[in-house]
Structure formats: structure tokens, C-alpha cells
Amino acid sequence: LIMIILNQTDVTPASFILNGIPGLEDMHLWISFPFCSMYVVAMVGNCGLLYLICYEDSLHRSMYYFLAMLSLTDLVMCSSTIPKALCIFWFHLKEIKFEECLVQMFFIHTFTGMESGVLMLMALDRYVAICYPLRYSAILTNPVIAKVGLATFLRAVFLIIPLIFLTKRLPYCKGNRIHHTYCDQLSVAKLSCGNIKANVIYGLMAAFLIGGFDILCITISYTMILRAVVSLSSADARQKAFSTCTAHICAIVFSYSPAFFCFFFNRFGSHTIPPSCHIIVANIYLLLPPTMNPIVYGVKTKQIRDCVIRIFSGAKNIKSYST
């Protein structure tokens, strides 16, 4: 379906030029170091989580299956942008073909939508675990997890494909320089001399259908969790229940805080906030959650912590025995 969209004929440039971070071109090399470091941490951390969840029998539970979905989403999300950004910073390879730009745009917006959806599913998982602990395994079976994960992915795909089509059909006659490190939908559409009202309206609608719905579900879930936890008579039970949600709450903060900034900047703050600030935050929006989620879950989740300690202890014992 994506290839059908890309093969449609229209007045389009052969390629775009990604300028990186406008106003900070002289600092691109220095900016690249934290970007590269965070990307390496994200790749190692998320691949490590996927390995643990795949091979450790104690982690074959719904909570960790959702965490695996989050890690896969994070890997695709940051890999869709950071390698190209580093090529701009290090080698001044700024050109990107029009079709590649649309594909990058599709992956970015689809997997940011998927990220939001998985966070919502994880909130529902915590709700079931705390409010219905005796029925937890019966409600969240493996087929149910697979179906809701697939539904979340398909929701993002089918809501983003029309946005790609709307961007593809625009005539571009305002040059081909994008003041960004990646092909953001609005940044590309602003190069068009056509009417981009449909793009703006549909982009807002997709954001509300994905982000608005997910935030509503997360809010309702945590409201019910809070009511259930407060009603517990034991202080230890309340603390244990809250602790199971800590990592997920951190993931929500890391994901939605820069997302809100980018959303409000694009709609209301483009004349008051420097573009360089917006582009840096837009990159952080795609890089911070993949970097921090494995660290937070590794530190806050006892089962993951124990698995890591056991693996390293085993490797150390093997090494000691061989010497």
C-alpha cells in the first residue's frame, strides 16, 4: 500500500536537503556526541531487554511482553532518524530522495503512534494486575496480548497512511530545503505552494485519535488504580502496588513531555520559540524514551534486575572456573 502511494505521479522534487539544526550548524559536531551516545545506549539497552524477555522463562508474562513491544517500537523509532542525523552532523550527507523522505515520515509517525498505544496497553495491564490480581492470567492471555498489540500497530498504520498520501499529492515549489534533521510531516508540507489545510486538519485528527485516546485510557486506568491502592489497609501493600507502576509512569513522562512541547510549538509557538530549540526537542522526543526506558525498567523492575545479576554472575563464575 505504501508503494502504491509512492508510485503516484505528481509535481514533486527528486530529493530534499535536510539542513540539520538551523542556526547551530557550527555546533553540529558537538551536538552529534550526545545524540550518538544516547543512540548506542538505546540500541544496547533495548536489544538487551528483548534478549532477556525472549530467553528468560521468568519473564514470560504479559507485563514483559508489552515491554518487549515497547522495546521493538523504540528501536525502530530512533533508528528511523538518528543514523541520518549523524550522517548530516558528521559527513554533511544532507540529501534524501523524495520517496525515502516519505518512507522515513511513515516510520516516524507510525511508531510514535505505536509507542503511545503500547504505553496505553501497559497502563491497562497495570490496572488489571492491581484491581483484578486473581484474574490477571485469565484476562491477559497470550492470544489477547497478540491481538491488542496487532490492533495497536494497525491503528497507527491506517491512520498515518492517509497523511503520507496527503503529503505526496502536494505540489512543491518553495525549494527543497527542510530545516530539520528528519522528514517531519509539517516541515515537508510547508515547502508546498499548494493548500496544506487538509494536512494540518488530518494531522490534528490523527494526533487526537491516537494520543488523545491513549492519554484518556491511561488517565482512567491510573484513576482506578489509585482508588484501588488507597483502599488497601496495609501500608506495605500500598507501597508494593505503587512500586509496580513507577517504571511505567517514568516511561509516560519521558514519552509525552517532549511530545506535548512539539505539538504545541507546531501549532502555537512557531513565532516565539527558536526553530533550533524545537528541532532539538523533536529529536529528544524520538531518542529520550528509547534511551531511558531500558534503564528505568532495569533499575525499577526486580525480576529484570535479578535476571541481569544472574547472567553476569554466571559469566563471572565461568570465567573464574576457566582460569
Side-chain angles (χ1 to χ4, degrees):
L1 185 56
I2 298 174
M3 295 311 299
I4 292 174
I5 294 173
L6 298 181
N7 288 333
Q8 291 185 355
T9 57
D10 228 330
V11 181
T12 57
S15 62
F16 288 118
I17 303 297
L18 293 167
N19 278 345
I21 304 176
L24 298 177
E25 289 84 358
D26 294 339
M27 298 181 65
H28 275 178
L29 183 62
W30 296 105
I31 294 172
S32 69
F33 289 117
F35 275 49
C36 182
S37 300
M38 292 175 72
Y39 181 60
V40 170
V41 171
M43 294 298 291
V44 172
N46 285 291
C47 288
L49 270 182
L50 288 173
Y51 174 83
L52 285 176
I53 294 168
C54 181
Y55 290 103
E56 288 289 334
D57 292 338
S58 61
L59 301 182
H60 290 177
R61 297 169 52 195
S62 61
M63 171 184 172
Y64 303 106
Y65 292 145
F66 287 129
L67 181 56
M69 291 183 198
L70 187 67
S71 291
L72 279 171
T73 302
D74 285 341
L75 285 171
V76 177
M77 192 168 70
C78 63
S79 295
S80 299
T81 57
I82 300 305
K84 181 60 180 177
L86 294 177
C87 286
I88 295 170
F89 295 154
W90 288 343
F91 310 114
H92 304 288
L93 298 176
K94 299 182 177 183
E95 185 176 7
I96 183 170
K97 292 182 180 179
F98 182 75
E99 292 79 7
E100 293 174 357
C101 185
L102 293 183
V103 170
Q104 185 188 50
M105 188 188 304
F106 170 79
F107 275 97
I108 291 168
H109 292 293
T110 297
F111 282 90
T112 52
M114 182 70 180
E115 174 100 355
S116 176
V118 174
L119 289 174
M120 180 265 293
L121 294 178
M122 295 175 83
L124 295 177
D125 170 79
R126 292 298 83 204
Y127 164 71
V128 175
I130 292 174
C131 297
Y132 302 97
L134 299 179
R135 298 174 57 195
Y136 179 68
S137 299
I139 294 173
L140 291 174
T141 60
N142 288 349
V144 169
I145 294 167
K147 287 175 184 177
V148 296
L150 179 61
T152 302
F153 174 70
L154 292 177
R155 178 192 66 165
V157 168
F158 287 115
L159 281 174
I160 296 304
I161 281 179
L163 193 62
I164 306 302
F165 177 80
L166 288 172
T167 306
K168 169 68 176 65
R169 54 101 195 173
L170 290 171
Y172 293 91
C173 50
K174 292 184 179 178
N176 67 340
R177 292 187 172 274
I178 302 173
H179 298 295
H180 216 304
T181 57
Y182 60 82
C183 290
D184 174 68
Q185 187 270 143
L186 274 179
S187 298
V188 174
K190 287 176 181 178
L191 296 178
S192 171
C193 52
N195 188 352
I196 66 170
K197 187 175 181 180
N199 292 64
V200 174
I201 293 174
Y202 186 83
L204 283 169
M205 185 183 74
F208 280 115
L209 286 175
I210 295 175
F213 176 78
D214 293 344
I215 291 171
L216 177 63
C217 289
I218 290 170
T219 303
I220 293 173
S221 296
Y222 272 100
T223 300
M224 301 299 290
I225 288 170
L226 188 62
R227 288 178 59 185
V229 170
V230 170
S231 65
L232 295 174
S233 57
S234 169
D236 290 338
R238 286 196 296 269
Q239 183 177 358
K240 184 177 180 181
F242 274 127
S243 67
T244 64
C245 301
T246 304
H248 181 246
I249 293 171
C250 291
I252 291 172
V253 172
F254 291 138
S255 180
Y256 283 113
S257 297
F260 280 129
F261 178 90
C262 293
F263 178 83
F264 285 109
F265 174 86
N266 282 331
R267 271 75 190 179
F268 311 111
S270 57
H271 299 295
T272 57
I273 301 174
S276 58
C277 181
H278 165 242
I279 294 170
I280 290 173
V281 174
N283 279 277
I284 291 174
Y285 166 48
L286 298 177
L287 190 52
L288 184 64
T291 303
M292 296 305 300
N293 287 343
I295 296 173
V296 169
Y297 276 95
V299 171
K300 293 292 186 180
T301 308
K302 184 179 184 299
Q303 289 86 343
I304 293 176
R305 215 167 48 237
D306 291 343
C307 288
V308 172
I309 293 171
R310 186 165 64 251
I311 289 172
F312 279 98
S313 298
K316 185 178 179 181
N317 291 336
I318 291 172
K319 184 177 179 181
S320 299
Y321 180 77
S322 63
T323 56

